[in-house]
Amino acid sequence: MRTKIKDILLSDKLDYEVVVKGWVRSFRNNQFIALNDGSIIDNVQVVINDNSDEALLKNIQTGAALSIEGKVIASQGKGQKVEIVATKVDILGGCDPEQFPLQAKNRPSLEYLREIAHLRFRTNVFGAVFRVRNSIAFSIHKFFNEKGFVYLHTPIVTASDAEGAGEMFRVTTLPFDNPPRKEDGTIDFSEDFFGKSTNLTVSGQLEAELAAMALGEVYTFGPTFRAENSNTARHLAEFWMVEPEVAFNDLQDNMNLAEEFMQYVIKYVLDNNKEDLAFLQERLINEEKQKPANERSEMTLLEKLNFVVENKFERITYTEAIDILLQSKPYQKKQFKYEVSWGIDLQSEHERFLVEKHFKKPVIVTDYPKDIKAFYMRLNDDGKTVAAMDILAPGIGEIVGGSQREERLEVLESRMNDMHIPLEEMYWYLDSRRFGTAPHAGFGLGFERMVLFITGMTNIRDVIPFPRTPGNAAF
RNA sequence: UCUUCCUUAGCUCAGUUGGUUAGAGCACCUGACUGUUAAUCAGGGGGUCGCUGGUUCAAGUCCAGCAGGGAGAGCCA
């Protein structure tokens, strides 16, 4: 039976027989194999003391898959506590060194690795990133499960085009070169697979609200699609989103949930991915060595994560945020590109100032002007603002967006009319306000943005296995 | 989509005011090597300078267009 390398390295046991299987990271001196099986970032050293089989030694190439039988002993050399003395070496799959790009001493860039995303799992960086990504996903389910939330699967194909969260990808089986048309020349979607026009979902929120109004506490966690032509280090066309929705919660409850949730997830990774985080922290330090000193992080990755777990997020209203910006040095020195006044949407430069310069920690901004927020957010008593909340994270920007929902039917209908959202098509959503409506609140967390924050990676394309972005759907 | 930078060997990069046969480190190949740690040592092979067109006696170098990529912005998670 195969033993995982993680179990060997983290155990104090010695002098026992094992079978290990993994991939060669390097082969030194025709004698020492650094073997990795993905269970942990570190390699185990396999020692071959019999050099008589030259053909075998020749085939122990970087990247080759091996099965090793041997004995775990205290290492005879420095640099590792234990090593495996091989008694039998089988080559499961060779790896032509002339073809395989990931040689031990190569220093491939993240951009280059993105082009060979099918192979980049085999590097330390991506091994660490995807183990951490898994821990984040698992701890999200664990958090909500422990709190009694119901994990809800909302549809990926949706007929609703009123979610208002961005451009959508059309889903159709109609022939694109000659679709059926109505008399007025428009495409006849009654002939389409679902009998109507359908798209990939941009959010499961509206459906989650319906379930919350019966099950009480639900969350979604699934893929989300936006057809925007966004070319940035923090946007994907296909990404994963977590959307809790809770009946009877108000905005304060919503903020408390979001903050507790983020701290729980970070704590879980701190406790369960120590080796990966230590490696990612070193990677970040090395990357930032190439930047000017004033652009480097003030805290190391682990310091930052511990700080976020141990300190309350700053909570301010939109109106207070505008006041802070108006009194800020960059505003008074006219260093902001965009103007600041009550009613504007906060720009990246404003968010970055608040989070990275002024408060130096995650900030929850609440009560935005109603005109810059979605129709479903609850109108405040002032008639000007809505019970919205965005969590802004250092280096990432908006990581969570949420609100208390408008539960009053007349107010909701009035808001939808103002924003030209067809009420008839949304009868099913409005029914939740007609039949036993109740205050409720929820938020959406960009999963990959959370992975960015925790791993210290800087491009969102490097924290999802196969990124989909405008002009790119390889693999 | 906008602004800006980049594209030279498998990878990471250098290449001066345009001027002989385009360089380095690592990787790779051959050989040596049984206590190495990104092993080391000796030798060797490897280039359509992103693509297309232009200027010039002469273009990796200058100009234009296109493609791909990075960073920033908008949109947002």
Side-chain angles (χ1 to χ4, degrees):
Chain A
M1 203 183 90
R2 168 166 95 97
T3 302
K4 291 200 179 183
I5 289 169
K6 179 181 187 175
D7 295 331
I8 294 169
L9 295 181
L10 296 184
S11 161
D12 292 328
K13 249 175 83 183
L14 286 173
D15 302 316
Y16 58 104
E17 303 288 328
V18 287
V19 175
V20 293
K21 301 183 186 194
W23 294 267
V24 177
R25 285 295 175 81
S26 76
F27 185 39
R28 297 182 290 267
N29 206 21
N30 255 1
Q31 191 184 8
F32 301 98
I33 303 168
L35 195 74
N36 188 284
D37 69 357
S39 61
I40 188 168
I41 192 162
D42 302 303
N43 309 318
V44 71
Q45 172 154 290
V46 177
V47 187
I48 297 177
N49 285 321
D50 171 13
N51 65 350
S52 57
D53 189 343
E54 283 181 30
L56 178 79
L57 294 181
K58 197 156 184 57
N59 282 305
I60 301 176
Q61 300 148 326
T62 299
L66 304 185
S67 174
I68 307 270
E69 289 180 34
K71 190 174 182 184
V72 177
I73 61 163
S75 178
Q76 307 297 294
K78 289 173 185 166
Q80 56 281 316
K81 284 202 300 198
V82 299
E83 62 194 18
I84 299 171
V85 180
T87 51
K88 188 161 182 284
V89 177
D90 285 321
I91 299 193
L92 303 175
C95 191
D96 182 354
E98 288 204 64
Q99 302 287 322
F100 188 59
L102 302 175
Q103 297 299 329
K105 286 213 237 179
N106 275 0
R107 301 285 90 173
S109 63
L110 293 175
E111 291 82 14
Y112 170 68
L113 291 171
R114 217 172 283 152
E115 290 171 23
I116 52 166
H118 57 302
L119 297 175
R120 65 179 179 170
F121 296 106
R122 300 174 181 223
T123 63
N124 284 335
V125 174
F126 287 94
V129 165
F130 293 124
R131 274 187 299 272
V132 169
R133 183 183 164 107
N134 168 68
S135 283
I136 296 170
F138 177 76
S139 63
I140 286 168
H141 286 301
K142 189 164 182 284
F143 174 82
F144 286 120
N145 187 264
E146 285 169 2
K147 283 195 162 295
F149 280 61
V150 171
Y151 174 33
L152 185 76
H153 296 119
T154 49
I156 290 171
V157 174
T158 173
S160 163
D161 60 358
E163 285 159 354
E167 291 297 309
M168 304 179 96
F169 288 101
R170 186 177 293 288
V171 174
T172 182
T173 55
L174 294 178
F176 65 86
D177 51 344
N178 184 26
R181 292 182 187 274
K182 294 191 281 199
E183 284 178 11
D184 63 4
T186 59
I187 292 170
D188 184 4
F189 286 105
S190 70
E191 302 264 322
D192 204 350
F193 186 87
F194 294 107
K196 58 173 71 169
S197 168
T198 50
N199 298 290
L200 293 178
T201 183
V202 294
S203 166
Q205 179 200 314
L206 301 187
E207 290 90 344
E209 281 189 55
L210 310 181
M213 296 311 285
L215 297 165
E217 299 172 309
V218 304
Y219 73 104
T220 74
F221 186 0
T224 310
F225 306 87
R226 305 270 168 97
E228 251 114 36
N229 193 7
S230 295
N231 291 290
T232 80
R234 54 187 189 285
H235 287 89
L236 291 164
E238 176 183 286
F239 64 100
W240 289 65
M241 190 152 63
V242 182
E243 297 179 290
E245 195 70 37
V246 184
F248 315 116
N249 263 14
D250 63 15
L251 189 65
Q252 290 300 319
D253 301 323
N254 206 30
M255 285 191 275
N256 292 342
L257 178 68
E259 183 170 337
E260 184 188 353
F261 165 65
M262 286 182 64
Q263 290 177 328
Y264 180 98
V265 168
I266 294 168
K267 185 76 169 45
Y268 183 89
V269 177
L270 282 168
D271 289 344
N272 289 278
N273 294 76
K274 289 187 168 63
E275 298 85 6
D276 292 321
L277 288 179
F279 177 84
L280 290 166
Q281 167 161 296
E282 283 308 303
R283 187 208 72 83
L284 187 61
I285 288 168
N286 286 327
E287 182 184 89
E288 291 194 340
K289 274 182 186 162
Q290 294 167 28
K291 296 164 99 176
N294 62 343
E295 286 177 28
R296 290 178 204 159
S297 310
E298 290 177 25
M299 285 186 256
T300 67
L301 181 62
L302 286 168
E303 283 168 352
K304 177 186 86 172
L305 296 177
N306 278 305
F307 181 87
V308 170
V309 167
E310 287 160 10
N311 289 277
K312 286 271 169 205
F313 295 7
E314 193 67 35
R315 298 185 184 192
I316 59 170
T317 65
Y318 169 88
T319 303
E320 289 165 345
I322 293 292
D323 285 343
I324 291 169
L325 289 169
L326 287 174
Q327 286 165 28
S328 70
K329 271 195 190 143
Y331 178 77
Q332 286 166 1
K333 288 185 178 171
K334 299 195 188 304
Q335 287 167 343
F336 287 138
K337 229 175 119 186
Y338 291 84
E339 64 153 320
V340 179
S341 65
W342 200 95
I344 61 152
D345 213 346
L346 295 181
Q347 302 293 322
S348 289
E349 59 181 359
H350 305 143
E351 294 180 351
R352 275 212 310 278
F353 173 81
L354 290 170
V355 172
E356 291 162 19
K357 294 280 188 300
H358 191 81
F359 290 114
K360 301 188 178 188
K361 59 162 133 171
V363 177
I364 312 182
V365 182
T366 61
D367 303 294
Y368 285 79
K370 67 177 196 303
D371 293 337
I372 58 171
K373 287 292 180 182
F375 72 92
Y376 49 74
M377 297 187 176
R378 191 179 196 277
L379 189 65
N380 287 328
D381 291 343
D382 61 13
K384 296 192 306 188
T385 58
V386 289
M389 58 157 234
D390 285 357
I391 302 185
L392 311 176
I396 312 291
E398 186 178 345
I399 195 166
V400 163
S403 71
Q404 186 173 337
R405 315 308 189 189
E406 182 56 75
E407 85 282 11
R408 298 162 296 186
L409 180 63
E410 311 74 44
V411 183
L412 181 59
E413 287 181 335
S414 157
R415 285 276 286 152
M416 290 171 74
N417 279 325
D418 288 350
M419 300 175 89
H420 305 107
I421 293 163
L423 272 65
E424 322 76 60
E425 277 181 38
M426 299 287 284
Y427 75 93
W428 50 273
Y429 183 67
L430 292 166
D431 269 1
S432 64
R433 275 65 169 173
R434 289 193 183 101
F435 308 126
T437 192
H440 60 290
F443 61 84
L445 170 109
F447 179 67
E448 281 77 16
R449 290 188 181 176
M450 189 70 174
V451 182
L452 273 182
F453 184 73
I454 294 179
T455 58
M457 299 294 283
T458 48
N459 192 312
I460 203 163
R461 301 168 190 202
D462 295 332
V463 298
I464 188 168
F466 300 103
R468 270 77 181 96
T469 54
N472 185 359
F475 315 107

